[in-house]
């Protein structure tokens, strides 16, 4: 059911609902989505090999979360060198991070007040090689390069995670999903992975 308008425009496509268990409005992210709020809401997602950055202005309590992976780019489609492949994947990752950060800043956040928590990158699909590790390496490098304040992270290992993030307080509750019979996580990420495979940078923008 609908739970009223979002405090920041442009997120009408995000699934928001009343979470009875936590007594709060929750926004649920699928792979490739992100959400930012000024309200006392919870943002939730389930991560396999994808990563999520939870980013908030610690003074204002405005913040959000993304959910993404680097596209797997098969070099056969490209005539140029491997760098082009890596470049596209990195640009896609940069885009996912910048979108989230810029929205927080656009609605009053200050760069110096940002705090970052990172999750995900599990090795949950054996056949996919270590996609999770590429995502982790990317997101840690990004935070380092942008000199962002990384306050905590839980990355890697071989289990999916359910993340509940409360931007107003910065609290994150993480649950390890031990029961891997939950195929939906794996299927969702595989589908997302194939959607973003070999994207050009222009078209990558439409995926958000």
């Amino acid at each position: 059911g609908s739970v009223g308008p979002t405090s920041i425009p442009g997120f009408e496509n995000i699934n928001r609902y009343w979470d009875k268990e936590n007594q709060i409005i929750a926004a649920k992210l699928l792979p490739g989505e992100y959400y930012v709020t000024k309200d006392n809401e919870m943002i939730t997602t389930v991560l396999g090999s994808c990563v999520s950055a939870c980013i908030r202005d610690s003074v204002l309590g405005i913040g959000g979360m993304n959910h993404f992976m680097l596209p797997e780019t098969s070099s056969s489609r490209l005539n140029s060198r491997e760098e082009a492949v890596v470049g596209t994947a990195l640009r896609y990752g940069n885009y996912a991070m910048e979108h989230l950060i810029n929205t927080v800043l656009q609605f009053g956040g200050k760069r110096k007040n940002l705090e970052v928590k990172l999750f995900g990158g599990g090795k949950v699909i054996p056949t996919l090689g270590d996609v999770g590790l590429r995502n982790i390496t990317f997101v840690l490098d990004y935070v380092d390069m942008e000199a962002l304040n990384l306050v905590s992270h839980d990355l890697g290992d071989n289990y999916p995670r359910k993340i509940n993030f409360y931007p107003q307080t910065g609290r994150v509750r993480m649950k390890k999903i031990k029961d891997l019979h939950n195929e939906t996580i794996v299927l969702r990420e595989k589908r997302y992975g194939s959607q973003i495979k070999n994207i050009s940078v222009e078209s990558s923008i439409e995926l958000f």
Side-chain angles (χ1 to χ4, degrees), residues 5 12 27 76 86:
E12 292 73 24
S76 59
V86 174

Side-chain angles (χ1 to χ4, degrees), residues 69-73 84-94 134 138:
M69 68 162 94
L70 298 191
E72 235 192 318
T73 32
V85 178
V86 174
T88 302
L90 290 183
R91 281 204 293 273
Y92 185 82
N94 286 334
R134 289 196 341 201
F138 163 77

Side-chain angles (χ1 to χ4, degrees), residues 21-141:
E21 190 193 340
N22 297 292
Q23 292 290 300
I24 195 168
I25 289 176
K28 185 176 186 181
L29 297 186
L30 295 173
E33 293 183 333
Y34 82 110
Y35 182 72
V36 178
T37 183
K38 294 185 196 179
D39 291 337
N40 183 30
E41 295 183 320
M42 178 178 95
I43 310 174
T44 183
T45 201
V46 177
L47 298 162
S49 55
C50 288
V51 287
S52 275
C54 301
I55 301 183
R56 69 187 282 261
D57 180 304
S58 56
V59 177
L60 288 181
I62 171 182
M65 176 161 86
N66 57 21
H67 178 148
F68 70 99
M69 68 162 94
L70 298 191
E72 235 192 318
T73 32
S74 67
S75 44
S76 59
R77 286 268 309 269
L78 294 149
N79 319 326
S80 54
R81 302 171 308 292
E82 278 296 298
E83 286 150 40
V85 178
V86 174
T88 302
L90 290 183
R91 281 204 293 273
Y92 185 82
N94 286 334
Y95 186 82
M97 291 299 290
E98 280 160 18
H99 238 56
L100 172 57
I101 291 168
N102 289 343
T103 305
V104 172
L105 299 181
Q106 193 185 338
F107 288 89
K110 294 216 171 13
R111 208 175 172 89
K112 66 177 190 334
N113 298 332
L114 295 184
E115 56 175 42
V116 181
K117 297 182 177 184
L118 302 174
F119 302 94
K123 189 168 182 168
V124 293
I125 312 174
T127 54
L128 266 188
D130 213 342
V131 188
L133 188 60
R134 289 196 341 201
N135 295 329
I136 292 168
T137 306
F138 163 77
V139 80
L140 287 174
D141 284 351

